[in-house]
Amino acid sequence: MAFIYLILAIVAEVVATSALKSSAGFTRLAPSLVVVVGYGLAFYLLSLVLRTLPVGVAYAIWAGLGIVLVTLVGVVAYGERPDMPAVAGILLIVAGVVVLQMFSRISVH
C-alpha cells in the first residue's frame, strides 16, 4: 500500500508544481488553489508512506520521479525543451534512484 500512496503523492506533487507556473505568483485563484490542495494532499500521502518506507528511499523516489514528470509536463504543456546536460542530469537522478532501490540495504525489498 505504501507504494500506491507514494505514486499518488508524486502525482499530486507534480500537479501542484505544474500549476505553480499558471498561478502567476499566486495572483490567479484557481491555479493557486490547485497548488495548495495538491501540495497538501502530496505531503499527507507522503506522511502515510513514511510509516513503512525509510525516509531516504521514499524521498529519493519522490524527487526522482517528480523531476522526470515535471520535466515532461514542461515539455508538453509549456513547450520547454531540455538540452543534453539537462537530460543527462535527469538520467543520473533516475539511475541513482534505481541503484538505491535495488542495491541499498536501507531500501525495503
Side-chain angles (χ1 to χ4, degrees):
M1 199 66 188
F3 282 102
I4 292 171
Y5 288 148
L6 184 56
I7 290 168
L8 293 172
I10 292 166
V11 169
E13 186 266 335
V14 168
V15 169
T17 300
S18 300
L20 271 173
K21 187 165 187 153
S22 298
S23 75
F26 290 100
T27 61
R28 298 180 59 220
L29 181 61
S32 298
L33 290 174
V34 171
V35 171
V36 172
V37 171
Y39 281 132
L41 179 61
F43 283 109
Y44 170 72
L45 291 167
L46 184 61
S47 75
L48 298 179
V49 171
L50 296 179
R51 291 179 178 171
T52 56
L53 290 182
V55 68
V57 171
Y59 196 75
I61 295 169
W62 160 295
L65 288 177
I67 289 167
V68 170
L69 294 173
V70 168
T71 301
L72 291 174
V73 168
V75 168
V76 172
Y78 300 113
E80 299 171 352
R81 299 287 179 243
D83 57 12
M84 287 309 291
V87 171
I90 290 169
L91 290 175
L92 287 170
I93 291 167
V94 171
V97 170
V98 170
V99 167
L100 180 66
Q101 183 62 24
M102 293 183 69
F103 302 109
S104 174
R105 288 189 195 137
I106 194 172
S107 182
V108 176
H109 296 285

